[in-house]
Amino acid sequence: MRLDHLANFSKGLAMQKLFYAAFAYMILGVGSGLFYREFTKANDFPEGQFTQLGLVHTHLLTLGFIVLLIVLVIEKVFVISKSHLFEWFFWVYNAGVLATSAMLAWHGSLTVMGEESTSAIAGIAGLGHIALTAGMVLLFLALRSRIVAPKDAPSVTAVPAE
């Protein structure tokens, strides 16, 4: 396999990974909105009263679906997957989104059921937010490495003519 084919193959994998992750977050985001509506109705939760359960929908759609679609476009333009930080970004960021959203859902569900939350939920949510922040920093570092890459530096896709 020539090097240019290898580079295109790995670029395609990164784009597919971003596409399918964004799609999964879209499904989770829409599903969490449906869950919020039905769960609050089933538990006779007063309409308009605040619960963190209502935030799960927007967090999954914004931080998961929309952000990863934007990163997909960034990948298409800058091929940030060539940065060694890309994989770290992808996994750390997604762990942060999932941990944060899961804790919002757990805390919100307890509120709807009239139960008290624990400090463990807040602690894990805090770790999720830390992972989100670390993931965003990794994204910017990966993007920076691709933007400031020397124009005359040899690329993986550059293959000598046969």
Side-chain angles (χ1 to χ4, degrees):
M1 182 180 284
R2 291 181 16 203
L3 288 178
D4 60 337
H5 287 96
L6 184 60
N8 289 334
F9 178 73
S10 68
K11 177 183 174 186
L13 286 180
M15 291 187 73
Q16 283 183 6
K17 191 185 312 187
L18 289 165
F19 173 80
Y20 287 119
F23 181 70
Y25 282 121
M26 188 268 302
I27 298 296
L28 288 172
V30 171
S32 67
L34 176 65
F35 176 76
Y36 167 68
R37 185 187 69 194
E38 296 304 318
F39 190 69
T40 54
K41 273 197 228 177
N43 286 284
D44 294 322
F45 192 72
E47 189 174 332
Q49 187 172 337
F50 178 76
T51 172
Q52 288 185 352
L53 193 56
L55 301 176
V56 179
H57 172 73
T58 53
H59 275 69
L60 288 170
L61 288 176
T62 304
L63 294 175
F65 175 59
I66 293 173
V67 168
L68 289 184
L69 283 181
I70 292 169
V71 174
L72 180 66
V73 173
I74 291 171
E75 169 64 13
K76 181 70 174 173
V77 175
F78 296 104
V79 195
I80 60 172
S81 60
K82 285 186 180 180
S83 169
H84 68 283
L85 297 173
F86 176 77
E87 283 294 316
W88 280 99
F89 150 71
F90 185 80
W91 294 110
V92 169
Y93 182 79
N94 282 296
V97 172
L98 292 173
T100 300
S101 299
M103 293 306 103
L104 285 171
W106 188 0
H107 187 206
S109 295
L110 289 174
T111 302
V112 169
M113 295 185 299
E115 298 181 22
E116 288 294 318
S117 181
T118 67
S119 59
I121 295 172
I124 296 169
L127 292 175
H129 281 85
I130 290 169
L132 274 169
T133 303
M136 289 181 183
V137 169
L138 288 166
L139 172 63
F140 274 90
L141 291 173
L143 180 59
R144 182 185 180 280
S145 74
R146 297 301 301 146
I147 289 174
V148 300
K151 300 290 185 231
D152 58 342
S155 170
V156 175
T157 60
V159 177
E162 294 178 8

